[in-house]
Amino acid sequence: MAELAIADSFMPQYAKLEPKVRRGVDAAIAKFAEHTHAGLHLEKLNNAKDPRIRTIRIDQFWRGVVLAPDKGDVYCLLKVMPHDDAIAWAKSRKFSVNQAIGVLEVRDQVALEELSPALEKAAERSPSRLLEHVFDKDLIRLGIDEELIPLVRLLTEDAHLLALEKLLPEAQYIALLALAQGMNPQQAWEEVAKTLVVDEKPAEVDPDDLVTAMRRTPGSVVFVNGPEELRDILAHPFDTWRIFLHPVQRRVALRPSYSGPAQVTGGAGTGKTVTALHRAKFLASKGGRVLLTTFTRNLAEALEEQLALLVDDPDVRERIHVKNVDSLAYEIVGRHHRPAVAGDDVLDPLWEEAAEGTPFSPSFLSREWEQIVLAQGLESEQDYLACTRTGRGVPLGKAQRSVVWRAIQQVTDALAAEGKSTFTQLANEAADLVAGPEYDHVIIDEAQDIHTAQWRLLRRLVAEGPDDLFIVADPHQRIYDRHVSLANLGINVRGRSTKLKLNYRTTQEILTWSVPLLGLTPAQGLDDSADTLEGYRSPIHGRRPVVKGYPDQDAELDGLVEQVRAWLEADVEPSAIAVAARYVWVARKAAMRLKDEGIPAYQVPSKSPGVQVGSMHKMKGLEFRCIAVIGVDDKSMPAANAITPESEDAKAHAQDVQKERCLLFVASTRARDHLYVSYAGSPSPFLPG
Ligand SMILES: Nc1ncnc2c1ncn2[C@@H]1O[C@H](COP(=O)(O)OP(=O)(O)OP(=O)(O)O)[C@@H](O)[C@H]1O
C-alpha cells in the first residue's frame, strides 16, 4: 500500500500559501493519503536530473513536487511552488543516499554542473588544489558522493567551497569544510557525525534505497500515519518545529539519557526553546516529573502555549510543570507565609537613602547586594568581610566593606520592617525552605539570566544524577546582571554541551545586520568558556533591515505609523507586528500614537489582536513577523541611567554597555521577516555607521 511522507522543505512554502491555494494542496494530499494516487496524475519530467522526481497539479498555477523512489511504495512531498519554479526546481535536483551516514540527501545538480567550467578554469591557473592532501577513499568514507569527487578536485580556494554551501547536501559540505580547514579525516568525521540522528552510523547502506534513507532522517522527513495525522500537520503550518527537528536538535532533545546536567547553547532563533520543549515531552513521556522553567512570566506563558501544541497525551502534559523562576520561589515561600514583593518603586528610594553619606552610588550598593551578598547567601558582616568579590571591578578594603555592609543592612532592615522581599531574596528563602527534590528533571530556558540564588533553588528541586538539569542558554542575550559560573554551583556540564548554529527564525540579512550590534567583547558562557557565534547562520533570505533617522520624536512616530501601515497593507496580521523601545514610556507613547491613528495596539504580553508594543526587555524570547525597534538614539541606547560611570567601576561599566548591546540584539532578532529601526536626532553608537 502506498505511504505518504512529508519533507521539511515542504512546510515553509505551504505555510506561506494563500488559503485558496492551500485548500487545493490539502485536497491533493488528502487524495494521496487515501491511496488514490494513481488517479492523481503524477507527471514525469523530461530531462530531469533525477528520474524519480514527479510533479503533481494543484491548480492552474501551482504544482507540488514529489519524490517517488523506485524501491518501496512511498511518495514524499518535497515542495509546493508556482508552476515554472516547481518544474525548474524538480528538474535540477538529484537525490542520493549518503554512503557514510545513510541519510537521504539532495543536491542542486544543475547549478553544480553550471559551476564546473568556471572551477576548471580557476584550477588550470592554480598550482595547487584545496583538498589535494586528502585521498579519494577518505572522501568516500566521509560520505562524499563519488559522482561529486571530480568537482571537489577542482576546488582551489576556500571561497569556491563556500559558494557550494547551498548546492551540496549539508553533511557533505560539513565534511569538505572540515577538511579544507585543515582537519584530518578522523576529525572531519567527528564533525559529520554530529549530523547523525542516531548515535551509530548504519552498518550497511544501499545507495538505491531512498525509503530506508528517509526513515533514517526522522527529523527531516515524517511518514504520515493516516488522515488524522495529516490533518494535524497541515493545520499547524507555522509550527513545523513540532515534527521536524534538525538532526542536532533531535539528538540533543531525544537522547535517551545524559549522565548529569546537560547544556544547549546557540544564538537567537536557533531552536533552543524548541529543543527544551521536546526534551520536556520526552522525559515526561518516560514517566518523569518535569519542571520547565524560564525567566519571566510571559515566557512561561509562551512555553505553556507551545506545549499544548506539542503534547497530546494529558497524562504526559500533567507531568510537566511550567513556571517562571520568580513565581516558583513565590509559590514555595507561599507554602509557609504569604510573601510581599518589593519592586523598584520601593527599592530605588531605599538605595538612594542608604548611599547618602557614603562614597558609593545607589547602583553600586544595589549591585553589591545582588551580585555578592545575595549570590553568596551572606548573612553576617563577618562573612561579607571574608568573602571573595569575584566579578566586581573595584576592590574594597575592610573599612569600606563595613560601610557597604551597613548601607545594605539599612535597606534590608527597611524591607524587613515593611514585611517585603525582592524576588532574589525569595529565591534564597525558597531554596532554604525546600525540603528535598520535587522533580525528576528540571529544564531551564533563558538560563543566562538566572541569578545564583535562583540556581541554588533549582538545584535543590532535583536530586543530582542522570538527566537532572537540562540548561538552555545564550550568553549573547544576557540582558540582566547575572554572571553565573555553573562550576561554582557544582553544576558540571563538561562533555554534555551542544551548540545549535542554524537560525530558524530570522533571515540571514537580519542576522548579518544584528550580530555586529554585539560588538567585539566575547560572551562568557555559563560553563566559564568564551562563547562565540561562529557558524551561526540562517538558510532563509529576505529584505535587508531598514534604518531611518528623524529630526525629532514626533516625526519618528509618524514614520512608525507609516511603516506599520505598510506592513498591515501587505496583509501582515496586526499581532504579528511588534514595536520595541528601550524605555517603557516610549513604548507607551508609540502605542498611544498607533491607537490614535486607528491601529489597534497593546502592551506586550497581550492576547488582544493588535500590534504588540513593549520594552525591549519584554520582547525577550518572543518572535514576530515584523518588528520596529524605535528610539535607538545616542541618549537611549545605551540608556544613560543603566550605565555605571567608567570612573566608578570600569568592569561594571563594560558589563553595562555589553548588556545594552545584547538588549538591542535581542530586540532585533525577534523579527522573522522584516526589521525596521529608527531614531530621532543622533543614532545610537551601536548602530552600524
Ligand atoms: N526544527 C525546526 N523546524 C522548524 N522550525 C523551527 C525548528 N526549530 C526551531 N524552529 C522555529 O524557529 C524559531 C525560533 O525557535 P526558538 O524560539 O526555539 O529559538 P531560540 O533559540 O529559543 O530563540 P531565542 O534565543 O531567540 O529566544 C521558532 O519559530 C521555532 O518554531
Side-chain angles (χ1 to χ4, degrees):
M1 207 173 12
E3 208 180 345
L4 179 68
I6 300 180
D8 57 358
S9 51
F10 175 81
M11 291 307 285
Q13 284 159 327
Y14 174 78
K16 287 201 177 124
L17 295 178
E18 285 168 30
K20 194 170 133 257
V21 184
R22 203 183 290 167
R23 279 196 293 277
V25 178
D26 291 351
I29 305 176
K31 281 194 194 168
F32 248 136
E34 288 160 22
H35 310 307
T36 56
H37 57 275
L40 272 181
H41 201 61
L42 286 179
E43 288 171 27
K44 269 196 166 190
L45 294 164
N46 289 332
N47 307 324
K49 290 292 169 194
D50 197 314
R52 297 161 295 193
I53 208 138
R54 307 275 185 277
T55 63
I56 175 174
R57 187 176 189 280
I58 307 290
D59 65 16
Q60 210 178 337
F61 298 105
W62 290 86
R63 286 284 182 284
V65 184
V66 175
L67 179 64
D70 303 326
K71 276 192 187 175
D73 202 2
V74 167
Y75 293 85
C76 183
L77 280 170
L78 300 166
K79 291 270 177 188
V80 53
M81 292 169 133
H83 177 278
D84 291 354
D85 295 345
I87 304 293
W89 190 90
K91 280 188 174 179
S92 63
R93 270 18 188 218
K94 183 150 188 181
F95 288 82
S96 56
V97 181
N98 185 302
Q99 289 304 290
I101 54 177
V103 301
L104 181 71
E105 295 190 320
V106 55
R107 61 179 188 256
D108 188 341
Q109 186 66 21
V110 165
L112 288 168
E113 286 172 16
E114 282 171 3
L115 261 181
S116 259
L119 291 176
E120 262 165 42
K121 272 213 180 112
E124 275 165 25
R125 288 196 300 266
S126 168
S128 62
R129 304 288 160 92
L130 191 62
L131 297 172
E132 62 193 8
H133 58 290
V134 186
F135 296 119
D136 278 4
K137 67 174 177 13
D138 284 327
L139 290 175
I140 290 168
R141 254 189 239 139
L142 287 167
I144 307 302
D145 201 294
E146 270 193 73
E147 275 183 30
L148 289 174
I149 291 183
L151 185 93
V152 169
R153 291 292 173 211
L154 292 175
L155 301 174
T156 52
E157 295 176 25
D158 286 343
H160 296 162
L161 177 56
L162 297 180
L164 298 184
E165 180 177 0
K166 299 241 155 36
L167 313 181
L168 288 175
E170 190 187 10
Q172 295 195 44
Y173 177 73
I174 287 174
L176 295 173
L177 193 64
L179 294 168
Q181 285 170 346
M183 292 189 198
N184 64 34
Q186 178 53 32
Q187 292 165 323
W189 168 250
E190 280 159 23
E191 292 299 305
V192 175
K194 287 184 192 159
T195 69
L196 273 172
V197 172
V198 286
D199 277 341
E200 296 284 314
K201 67 177 203 164
E204 238 179 274
V205 175
D206 175 352
D208 298 320
D209 190 352
L210 298 194
V211 178
T212 303
M214 281 184 208
R215 293 196 197 279
R216 285 199 201 101
T217 45
S220 310
V221 179
V222 290
F223 286 79
V224 181
N225 282 324
E228 248 179 57
E229 189 182 359
L230 179 64
R231 261 197 303 274
D232 183 48
I233 293 173
L234 298 181
H236 299 105
F238 288 107
D239 302 318
T240 48
W241 59 271
R242 298 181 317 140
I243 43 173
F244 296 114
L245 286 178
H246 188 270
V248 181
Q249 292 176 319
R250 196 178 167 86
R251 273 162 63 84
V252 170
L254 309 188
R255 185 181 161 126
S257 181
Y258 292 92
S259 55
Q263 179 185 239
V264 179
T265 59
T270 50
K272 297 181 298 299
T273 301
V274 160
T275 309
L277 290 161
H278 278 270
R279 187 76 188 152
K281 178 183 174 185
F282 177 80
L283 293 169
S285 303
K286 292 203 301 181
R289 291 165 305 160
V290 180
L291 170 67
L292 175 58
T293 188
T294 184
F295 191 67
T296 57
R297 190 193 292 261
N298 62 328
L299 286 180
E301 278 170 18
L303 289 176
E304 296 251 26
E305 282 165 20
Q306 288 168 304
L307 268 187
L309 290 172
L310 183 64
V311 184
D312 299 327
D313 184 338
D315 292 340
V316 174
R317 179 63 193 85
E318 207 188 74
R319 284 196 287 276
I320 308 172
H321 187 192
V322 184
K323 206 128 199 121
N324 64 298
V325 270
D326 284 342
S327 304
L328 190 71
Y330 189 92
E331 181 189 285
I332 293 170
V333 174
R335 293 177 199 162
H336 302 264
H337 65 90
R338 194 181 158 79
V341 178
D344 289 344
D345 55 329
V346 175
L347 279 165
D348 289 349
L350 291 179
W351 287 119
E352 292 281 346
E353 223 175 284
E356 267 171 34
T358 77
F360 305 104
S361 70
S363 73
F364 180 92
L365 293 173
S366 101
R367 263 181 192 237
E368 187 74 6
W369 186 49
E370 278 275 331
Q371 295 186 359
I372 305 296
V373 178
L374 288 175
Q376 297 184 29
L378 305 176
E379 287 185 353
S380 69
E381 185 172 352
Q382 274 78 359
D383 288 347
Y384 178 60
L385 292 179
C387 80
T388 312
R389 296 173 58 256
T390 315
R392 300 289 278 146
V394 177
L396 295 179
K398 212 169 164 193
Q400 287 168 306
R401 286 197 194 198
S402 286
V403 173
V404 170
W405 181 259
R406 276 199 297 280
I408 290 175
Q409 205 60 43
Q410 185 179 326
V411 172
T412 51
D413 286 350
L415 283 177
E418 287 189 49
K420 290 190 168 156
S421 313
T422 63
F423 274 118
T424 317
Q425 283 179 302
L426 281 186
N428 262 332
E429 192 179 346
D432 290 339
L433 290 171
V434 167
E438 298 186 6
Y439 299 93
D440 301 310
H441 317 283
V442 171
I443 299 179
I444 307 148
D445 196 10
E446 302 283 346
Q448 71 279 356
D449 281 324
I450 303 284
H451 188 275
T452 308
Q454 295 166 328
W455 278 106
R456 253 198 311 273
L457 168 62
L458 296 173
R459 176 68 281 182
R460 298 208 63 187
L461 286 170
V462 58
E464 279 186 37
D467 299 315
D468 52 356
L469 295 165
F470 188 83
I471 299 160
V472 174
D474 177 9
H476 298 95
Q477 295 184 64
R478 191 176 274 133
I479 57 172
Y480 294 91
D481 259 328
R482 312 286 155 85
H483 294 269
V484 169
S485 158
L486 290 180
N488 287 348
L489 288 156
I491 299 171
N492 179 10
V493 292
R494 208 171 313 126
R496 292 181 295 269
S497 252
T498 310
K499 188 171 217 166
L500 304 178
K501 295 184 175 173
L502 192 63
N503 182 303
Y504 282 91
R505 175 190 300 133
T506 311
T507 63
Q508 183 60 47
E509 287 70 18
I510 294 177
L511 282 194
T512 305
W513 187 87
S514 304
V515 170
L517 297 174
L518 291 166
L520 300 174
T521 313
Q524 169 104 344
L526 293 170
D527 55 2
D528 302 325
S529 63
D531 194 302
T532 72
L533 286 174
E534 199 190 322
Y536 179 44
R537 65 194 189 284
S538 169
I540 318 161
H541 284 273
R543 303 277 291 275
R544 278 212 294 267
V546 172
V547 183
K548 285 205 170 160
Y550 295 90
D552 54 44
Q553 197 184 45
D554 254 355
E556 191 188 0
L557 291 178
D558 284 344
L560 172 71
V561 171
E562 198 181 314
Q563 178 59 73
V564 171
R565 278 225 173 93
W567 283 331
L568 292 171
E569 275 159 23
D571 262 353
V572 180
E573 273 181 46
S575 55
I577 299 173
V579 179
R582 176 64 184 86
Y583 294 116
V584 176
W585 68 267
V586 176
R588 290 218 177 101
K589 208 164 168 182
M592 261 157 46
R593 187 59 191 274
L594 289 170
K595 279 188 193 157
D596 287 348
E597 299 285 340
I599 300 171
Y602 299 93
Q603 293 294 320
V604 171
S606 160
K607 299 256 179 302
S608 306
V611 174
Q612 307 285 303
V613 186
S615 68
M616 293 181 183
H617 285 92
K618 281 270 159 63
M619 296 291 157
K620 182 186 178 73
L622 305 179
E623 71 180 32
F624 304 90
R625 276 187 66 190
C626 307
I627 187 155
V629 184
I630 62 168
V632 190
D633 56 79
D634 60 344
K635 309 222 168 32
S636 316
M637 204 77 238
N641 60 352
I643 303 286
T644 307
E646 198 168 4
S647 54
E648 182 179 308
D649 184 338
K651 194 162 180 176
H653 173 80
Q655 282 177 354
D656 288 344
V657 171
Q658 194 57 32
K659 211 169 52 181
E660 293 286 298
R661 284 184 173 278
C662 290
L663 194 53
L664 186 55
F665 175 75
V666 167
S668 307
T669 52
R670 300 307 94 196
R672 287 220 311 255
D673 301 334
H674 297 285
L675 169 62
Y676 164 92
V677 179
S678 70
Y679 58 88
S682 304
S684 157
F686 299 159
L687 291 180

